[in-house]
Amino acid sequence: MRKRHRDHAFKLYKTLLKYFEGIEETLSPFTLFLFVRIFSGFFMSLYVLLYAFRVRNATIPFMSFVELFAYATLMMITVLSADHAQRKADQFRLSLYEYRRIDSTMERKCDRFVEDSKYLKLTAWGVFTIQKPLLLGVVAWIFTYTTVLLQFS
């Protein structure tokens, strides 16, 4: 019974790797395009807001606030969902590694799972990995961009 359960788990893992490859291959260019669109729209909205604040008589466009919020929310949802999927797949990979303790003949097969961690990453067409630390980098980039815009105005 235990051997059948283990074999089923390994087949499931191979299927998971295949799905991650398919997702990465299919959605990776789209994800890069999505992030380029999010960044360009976000910075354009930020520029419009800073320009409206700089010019005393200009009305502050309400839609720019809405767009800024929408772009930030879309980016957070994309990054957090991709990070969650990667963590769940990695947890499953590590749970299969526990079979090493049960069956000593599985040691070589289980060692391969340690190496498979590089395949369980979702990227934006290989440019960057979509994980939580990306959000911190984006916040730093936005802060720098805002500082530069304020200095030149």
Side-chain angles (χ1 to χ4, degrees):
M1 178 69 178
R2 199 173 269 238
K3 180 175 173 28
R4 192 170 64 167
H5 175 68
R6 183 188 66 219
D7 291 341
H8 181 68
F10 282 112
K11 285 179 186 177
L12 186 63
Y13 180 71
K14 286 180 182 180
T15 304
L16 178 73
L17 275 179
K18 188 174 82 174
Y19 281 132
F20 255 84
E21 267 183 32
I23 289 171
E24 177 69 20
E25 185 179 309
T26 306
L27 295 180
S28 192
F30 172 72
T31 306
L32 180 64
F33 174 74
L34 178 70
F35 272 93
V36 167
R37 176 64 185 114
I38 288 171
F39 289 143
S40 64
F42 187 86
F43 290 130
M44 185 177 66
S45 297
L46 187 63
Y47 180 77
V48 167
L49 285 174
L50 289 174
Y51 180 78
F53 283 125
R54 189 176 68 191
V55 176
R56 302 287 181 208
N57 296 334
T59 59
I60 298 173
F62 178 71
M63 280 309 293
S64 292
F65 282 116
V66 173
E67 286 176 351
L68 239 106
F69 179 73
Y71 288 131
T73 304
L74 182 60
M75 185 181 323
M76 286 180 61
I77 288 171
T78 304
V79 169
L80 292 177
S81 61
D83 187 68
H84 180 72
Q86 291 172 88
R87 277 189 293 120
K88 287 294 184 185
D90 201 44
Q91 286 174 355
F92 180 64
R93 179 183 64 86
L94 291 175
S95 72
L96 288 178
Y97 195 67
E98 292 298 315
Y99 280 115
R100 179 179 174 169
R101 293 182 187 162
I102 297 169
D103 188 358
S104 61
T105 62
M106 298 302 295
E107 188 164 339
R108 192 177 64 182
K109 203 175 212 182
C110 288
D111 285 342
R112 191 177 134 249
F113 293 134
V114 176
E115 298 170 6
D116 279 346
S117 65
K118 64 182 175 185
Y119 298 113
L120 297 175
K121 302 241 184 289
L122 296 175
T123 66
W125 216 6
V127 177
F128 53 87
T129 303
I130 303 170
Q131 291 180 329
K132 283 183 185 176
L134 177 65
L135 291 176
L136 183 61
V138 168
V139 169
W141 195 26
I142 290 169
F143 180 75
T144 304
Y145 182 76
T146 306
T147 305
V148 168
L149 282 179
L150 287 173
Q151 286 178 348
F152 284 115
S153 62

